[in-house]
Amino acid sequence: MNDKKKYAAAAVIVIVVLINILATLRLLFSVVCPERAQKEIVVNYFKDNLNKAVKFEEITIDYTGNVIIDDFNVSITSDFNDNISLIKSKRAVIDLAFWPLWAGSVRINGIDFYDSEITFIKKYGRSHMECVRQILDPGKFIKTVQEAYPDFYIDFHGSAISYRESLRDRLLVVELYTIDAELYINTSAFSYDITGRIRPFRTSILRKGEFSCRGSVDIGQGDSFSHRIQIENFDLTYLNEYIQERKKADTSISGGASVDLEVKRNKSILTVGGQAWTNNLTVASITKKYNLISGENVSLDIDASYNSAHNSYTIRSLSVYDDVARLDASGSYVQNEKEDAVTLDFKSNAIDLSDLSQNVAPFPGIEYGGMLQFDGSLNMDFKKKKASGMRFNCVLGEFTVSRNRKGKQECIIGESSMRVKADNSTFNADISLKPLGSDLSISIRTEVSAWVPFSSEMNVSVKSRRMNLDIIREPAVYLIDAAYASAYKDKREVAIGRTPFPQTLLGKFANHNSISFTSEADTVFWGTNASWNNCGLDARLANGALSIGEFRADGYGAAYRFNALAYFNTEQPYFRVEGAVDDFDWSAFYADSGMKGSMTGKAGCDFNYEVSAARMGNILDNSRGNLNVHVGTGEMINTRPQQAIMKFLRKNGYEAGSVADITYESITLSLSQRGENFWFSNFGVRGDKLFFNAAGDYLYEGGITSTFGATVRKDATVIAIPVKVSGPLLGPCVDVANRGDSEKFCF
């Protein structure tokens, strides 16, 4: 019992002595470094090293010589005039060197921030580095620290970062929290270790993200660094703000993204290796309101390097894969005074397109299927203009495309196949395609004489027993529309440093290759039963000139003419196309087509178009064209145009019944273009119950504009109606001109 009392008394004495020692140390440090000196240390340090102002509630020094600051506030600029803080910390500890403090010398080892709120503001119109340097110049800060201290650290404990970016009409805020960070600087290196979590943005089902970054930079030699970046489940909805801001695409994105990458540099060698993957990736079209990609979990593995001394890139391995598809590749590219070469090897697995279409659907309601597999290699020396080891194989089997309409499958492309094979001297392809009820057999045979630039003799043959006219018509309409859209866009852009056409990829191909094209179709059909027989076209491209050898078609008692020529071997390529149809039996065609009602008469048309253009915008400067259509004496009964006219008349209080049966002398339309000027004329129906003749202007981006008078006759009654037509060429709207209560009707 006495022994226990002795031990207790000894323990009490030790505790009292320790308390006295600590109190003495604190008193000593307070004398050596009084409160005023502490404040000066803090204020001067942040002003001299960081150009920041600071505020705090209380400052003390503890028994270890560390300065304790409560409610510590660091300005984002050199003062607090804008009332924005870079760091708000509940407590900050400035670690002073213990033994030098005994001697009255103040040396800072580092700073610890606890429960901090850090704000980074990205201003509109400025780059991230500009904004970082405005807040803190990293290079200048590190250099200043190195000159003042042999070793220095900054640690954050349980902190949060708010990234705020000002966009044109919105504010993007990314929140990082539970952050622990260690930053260390010595005379030769800077190292860091940061971990934390990422708050989701607009995805409720995505769990919170996490990140970890660690690495070091050799700031002595400045020629090496090592970084490891790990991010898990970053909410991709953050990117939608940038997509909308920059109007890059009419899409939105959601899901999670993760990366685990190592980026290293050793003198001139930069290496990147690791993995990136997505979790439930979804890409949606905003206007059409459907998913292009749904619930996709795709991964990417990469091991690559860059040698700045030789300007060479090497991909040792690259793999992109999901549960269905996989692509593996490797290769290299080098460009310097001695070398300019590329090598590539790639290979896919056997891809089940039906499974792929469950997650990847580029068009709404469209489903596709089949098996696809390909592989190849490339070894091209641009300096020596040589290629070796060229190889490409691609097999597509049982390929189908269908449209889902209200639960019913509508076939667009029947079971088709393709086989492509290429080597150093040949490129061959055989395609069996069955689109829209057609059967196409396409053969491509190519003898390659050079790969740099690509030069060859190519023979293309297309044969068909039955071909749907829409295979030609729909792509032609799309390409014409796309060409003019591109021309208007190109016209608005400033032409600076344009490459002469013969030096462009298209110019080189057109001038270094010969292509013979032949096509034969036993029957070309359209609608219900309309058809033409013995159709064909022969064309040839040689020495930069394109010409039509023969065009033929039989059907509806008409004579068909078509011719085209083009010259690509000039600075301003020239293209011309013309054709005509005479004595076309419109009565038989209309009956065969399956269009509603009936219509009789003989029809014809002629057209011509020519353009000289080195760039798309030249189409609006140097093009001219004409199209004339006429239908001779005949009768139309209850056709769709008549039904539309009758509906328009009834909506506006006019008698419409007589228009259901019209005997006409002629129906005509003329379209003309000169550069950017489009107009139509002689558009009319000269009939017993309906008569009008219209003319007007057409703007590609504005549509039709025309006002004319139409006469409707019933028995002895004649009604004159002022008509206004406006809107898109293929879907115009009609209303009664100069009448406020007119009921508009759109085709």
Side-chain angles (χ1 to χ4, degrees), residues 590 596-598 636-643 646 659-662:
Y590 198 94
K596 192 167 184 177
S598 64
M636 56 180 172
I637 302 173
N638 206 29
T639 63
R640 290 188 68 180
Q642 287 172 279
Q643 290 180 344
M646 291 166 63
V659 181
D661 185 349
I662 301 173

Side-chain angles (χ1 to χ4, degrees), residues 266-565:
N266 184 10
K267 296 184 179 179
S268 64
I269 307 297
L270 175 69
T271 61
V272 178
Q275 185 180 41
W277 64 97
T278 65
N279 172 25
N280 200 34
L281 171 66
T282 299
V283 179
S285 170
I286 297 174
T287 54
K288 297 182 179 180
K289 297 181 180 179
Y290 76 95
N291 291 343
L292 294 100
I293 300 174
S294 303
E296 176 67 17
N297 299 322
V298 62
S299 299
L300 180 146
D301 299 341
I302 187 170
D303 180 9
S305 64
Y306 168 66
N307 187 331
S308 59
H310 297 92
N311 192 34
S312 64
Y313 301 82
T314 301
I315 299 177
R316 283 176 285 275
S317 65
L318 174 68
S319 299
V320 182
Y321 55 93
D322 62 6
D323 293 337
V324 178
R326 183 181 183 94
L327 173 64
D328 297 309
S330 62
S332 64
Y333 174 68
V334 58
Q335 185 183 43
N336 52 49
E337 292 183 358
K338 295 182 178 180
E339 296 178 280
D340 187 2
V342 61
T343 65
L344 177 65
D345 290 282
F346 57 92
K347 182 180 181 181
S348 79
N349 66 327
I351 303 170
D352 189 327
L353 298 179
S354 180
D355 290 342
L356 187 65
S357 71
Q358 302 303 308
N359 298 101
V360 181
F363 306 100
I366 300 297
E367 299 178 7
Y368 53 92
M371 296 296 294
L372 172 67
Q373 187 167 10
F374 56 88
D375 65 86
S377 62
L378 170 71
N379 190 338
M380 192 169 293
D381 191 321
F382 297 101
K383 285 278 188 183
K384 298 178 181 178
K385 296 185 178 182
K386 291 183 178 180
S388 61
M390 302 289 290
R391 180 179 58 83
F392 178 69
N393 296 289
C394 178
V395 177
L396 174 65
E398 300 177 353
F399 179 67
T400 60
V401 178
S402 60
R403 179 187 287 114
N404 190 326
R405 289 196 174 184
K406 298 179 180 180
K408 294 183 179 180
Q409 293 297 118
E410 176 185 312
C411 179
I412 298 176
I413 299 178
E415 190 171 300
S416 303
S417 63
M418 177 181 70
R419 183 177 293 274
V420 179
K421 187 173 184 179
D423 56 30
N424 285 337
S425 58
T426 62
F427 178 92
N428 300 322
D430 292 291
I431 304 169
S432 174
L433 191 61
K434 299 179 180 179
L436 303 176
S438 306
D439 63 327
L440 303 179
S441 178
I442 304 171
S443 172
I444 301 174
R445 296 292 181 266
T446 307
E447 295 293 330
V448 181
S449 55
W451 287 92
V452 185
F454 184 76
S455 180
S456 67
E457 177 72 37
M458 183 183 301
N459 291 281
V460 181
S461 170
V462 180
K463 295 183 179 180
S464 175
R465 290 188 299 273
R466 282 177 56 80
M467 179 188 292
N468 193 327
L469 182 62
D470 282 338
I471 296 174
I472 302 171
R473 183 184 65 85
E474 292 185 2
V477 172
Y478 173 81
L479 289 174
I480 292 171
D481 184 68
Y484 275 94
S486 178
Y488 276 100
K489 181 180 179 181
D490 184 59
K491 186 84 171 176
R492 290 189 291 265
E493 297 176 353
V494 179
I496 299 176
R498 296 275 184 176
T499 304
F501 179 79
Q503 297 177 26
T504 65
L505 288 176
L506 179 59
K508 290 179 180 179
F509 182 85
N511 287 289
H512 289 86
N513 293 269
S514 298
I515 303 175
S516 296
F517 176 84
T518 61
S519 64
E520 299 176 4
D522 295 339
T523 301
V524 175
F525 67 92
W526 187 78
T528 305
N529 291 308
S531 63
W532 295 260
N533 301 316
N534 188 31
C535 300
L537 173 70
D538 297 339
R540 179 162 176 79
L541 172 67
N543 300 317
L546 172 69
S547 60
I548 300 294
E550 180 185 10
F551 173 77
R552 59 190 180 277
D554 296 329
Y556 299 103
Y560 302 90
R561 299 191 304 277
F562 177 78
N563 191 31
L565 59 89

Side-chain angles (χ1 to χ4, degrees), residues 1 60 80 82 85 99 148 151-152 155 245 257 389 391 414 417 468 482 526 539 679 745:
M1 190 70 176
T60 60
F80 285 97
D82 51 10
S85 298
W99 295 113
D151 298 283
F152 186 81
D155 289 355
E245 171 76 9
R391 180 179 58 83
S417 63
N468 193 327
W526 187 78
W679 69 93
F745 178 81

Side-chain angles (χ1 to χ4, degrees), residues 136-270:
L136 172 67
D137 188 326
K140 183 178 179 181
F141 170 69
I142 291 173
K143 184 178 180 181
T144 302
V145 169
Q146 284 182 311
E147 292 173 350
Y149 313 105
D151 298 283
F152 186 81
Y153 73 86
I154 300 176
D155 289 355
F156 290 89
H157 310 272
S159 300
I161 296 178
S162 178
Y163 170 86
R164 298 172 178 268
E165 180 169 356
S166 298
L167 303 177
R168 184 175 287 107
D169 56 0
R170 60 179 64 86
L171 179 67
L172 173 64
V173 179
V174 181
E175 296 183 6
L176 312 177
Y177 64 104
T178 318
I179 297 172
D180 292 319
E182 299 177 2
L183 312 177
Y184 179 74
I185 304 170
N186 62 25
T187 55
S188 62
F190 165 73
S191 62
Y192 64 93
D193 190 338
I194 307 171
T195 61
R197 293 186 175 182
I198 310 169
R199 200 175 303 281
F201 187 45
R202 292 179 178 172
T203 303
S204 57
I205 62 173
L206 195 69
R207 65 182 178 83
K208 297 174 181 178
E210 298 180 358
F211 71 94
S212 172
C213 305
R214 59 181 60 88
S216 62
V217 179
D218 180 357
I219 51 182
Q221 298 294 326
D223 60 357
S224 65
F225 57 73
S226 175
H227 306 285
R228 174 113 182 243
I229 303 169
Q230 294 172 292
I231 302 174
E232 186 173 356
N233 260 0
F234 175 78
D235 188 353
L236 291 172
T237 58
Y238 279 115
L239 302 182
N240 293 331
E241 303 299 308
Y242 295 103
I243 294 173
Q244 295 178 34
E245 171 76 9
R246 293 166 174 79
K247 295 181 172 57
K248 291 295 184 182
D250 180 35
T251 56
S252 65
I253 188 170
S254 63
S258 304
V259 298
D260 185 355
L261 290 176
E262 281 191 286
V263 182
K264 297 181 179 180
R265 179 182 172 185
N266 184 10
K267 296 184 179 179
S268 64
I269 307 297
L270 175 69

